[in-house]
Amino acid sequence: MADLSHPEDARLIALLDGTLADEERAALLARIDTDAALQARLDRIERGGRLIVPAFEALQAEAPRAKLKDLLASAIVTDETRRVLERPQTRALRFPRWQPRLVAAALALFVLGGVLGASLNGWIGREGDGREMRTTESWRQAVAEYWSLTTPETLALAPTPKRAAAELSAASAKLGVDLTGAPDAFPGLSFRGAQLFDFQGRPLVQIAYLDPQHGPIAYCVIARPDQADVAPTTEELDGFTIVHWASGGQGRLLIGRAPAERLQALAQKVTG
């Protein structure tokens, strides 16, 4: 990077970023045309900005693309940067707009640093089938992240009997397990529909219920043909209580903000 200690550096950077007023930009361009030292200084700053680009592209290739893409988009596409990017090209704007890229690269470094830290320190044990899994790869973690967006208002409307039957029939066929009795599986809970997801190539069904006292509760089933049976286990994850177990080649869980005793009692209804 260039050494930004020259008294004109701030104005030169503003010129590259397109933030100078028209009159001030014209005056500075006129000076650059006749001042070789000032032109060299501008070229040096511009070259320093270019060095960010390959570093950023390398980070982007290694980072988790989906999440990083969303983070970078929110950092770069602001009203100010959009205004600069859409400004008609003039001589002052023939230089790369490296300042937004610098912000993006710094953000990428931060995100990638967190990912690398998790990679080095985040192996958290086994999922019951003997394979080590990282936190980001746990299906229970994925369910908790999604369920955190659910409120009683989300589940305010119950599906029609016809729609409920169609949802459960599709889920049962995909998983190879009968889920058609789900609406009546948990006395005291109001059935609110079933959704079919895909988690790392495996079908995952989420069946939603509304508890009048404790709010949304989900019963989830994922295909795990390689997993041995596991007795019901209770854990806390992201503010939720989770009771999870495995049987018949399926991983299963109940998740909600209800007390552990409540979910454990509900689990007994479907574990036999």
Side-chain angles (χ1 to χ4, degrees):
M1 282 293 293
D3 174 22
L4 303 183
S5 59
H6 192 279
E8 290 289 352
D9 283 349
R11 297 181 68 214
L12 292 174
I13 291 172
L15 175 65
L16 290 173
D17 197 40
T19 58
L20 286 179
D22 292 343
E23 184 176 327
E24 188 176 6
R25 182 176 67 241
L28 184 55
L29 286 173
R31 285 186 55 202
I32 291 171
D33 285 339
T34 59
D35 188 335
L38 195 59
Q39 176 66 63
R41 188 73 186 171
L42 182 62
D43 291 341
R44 185 181 179 192
I45 294 174
E46 180 190 359
R47 287 195 303 273
R50 287 198 193 108
L51 294 177
I52 294 299
V53 178
F56 171 69
E57 291 174 346
L59 287 170
Q60 191 177 40
E62 294 295 329
R65 291 179 179 272
K67 291 186 178 180
L68 185 57
K69 182 178 178 181
D70 292 341
L71 289 172
L72 295 181
S74 65
I76 297 173
V77 185
T78 63
D79 288 341
E80 177 63 20
T81 55
R82 187 182 296 110
R83 180 182 64 80
V84 172
L85 292 172
E86 293 176 354
R87 183 176 297 156
Q89 293 293 310
T90 67
R91 187 177 185 280
L93 298 181
R94 62 186 176 85
F95 308 105
R97 297 172 183 85
W98 57 271
Q99 192 172 40
R101 292 185 180 185
L102 180 59
V103 173
L107 179 59
L109 283 168
F110 176 80
V111 173
L112 185 59
V115 171
L116 291 176
S119 297
L120 293 174
N121 301 306
W123 294 98
I124 61 170
R126 302 178 184 274
E127 276 278 301
D129 57 3
R131 294 180 300 171
E132 287 186 319
M133 302 286 286
R134 283 177 293 195
T135 302
T136 52
E137 295 172 340
S138 166
W139 77 282
R140 300 195 301 275
Q141 180 71 47
V143 168
E145 290 176 358
Y146 179 85
W147 201 240
S148 67
L149 303 176
T150 304
T151 69
E153 288 74 18
T154 309
L155 305 179
L157 299 178
T160 64
K162 182 178 180 180
R163 181 179 179 85
E167 290 174 346
L168 292 169
S169 176
S172 298
K174 191 70 174 180
L175 279 171
V177 60
D178 185 10
L179 298 172
T180 56
D184 303 315
F186 303 105
L189 300 187
S190 178
F191 174 76
R192 285 297 188 266
Q195 289 181 289
L196 182 61
F197 298 94
D198 181 280
F199 179 78
Q200 297 182 352
R202 291 172 290 172
L204 167 62
V205 174
Q206 178 180 273
I207 305 174
Y209 298 88
L210 194 58
D211 185 318
Q213 185 175 358
H214 303 292
I217 291 176
Y219 173 46
C220 300
V221 185
I222 188 171
R224 296 298 301 272
D226 55 349
Q227 186 173 22
D229 287 2
V230 177
T233 303
T234 304
E235 66 179 357
E236 297 291 326
L237 185 61
D238 291 349
F240 289 105
T241 302
I242 293 179
V243 178
H244 64 91
W245 67 98
S247 63
Q250 314 292 333
R252 303 166 188 262
L253 69 77
L254 280 162
I255 180 172
R257 299 193 186 279
E261 295 78 8
R262 171 65 168 156
L263 292 185
Q264 290 164 354
L266 291 173
Q268 291 179 1
K269 302 292 184 182
V270 287
T271 56

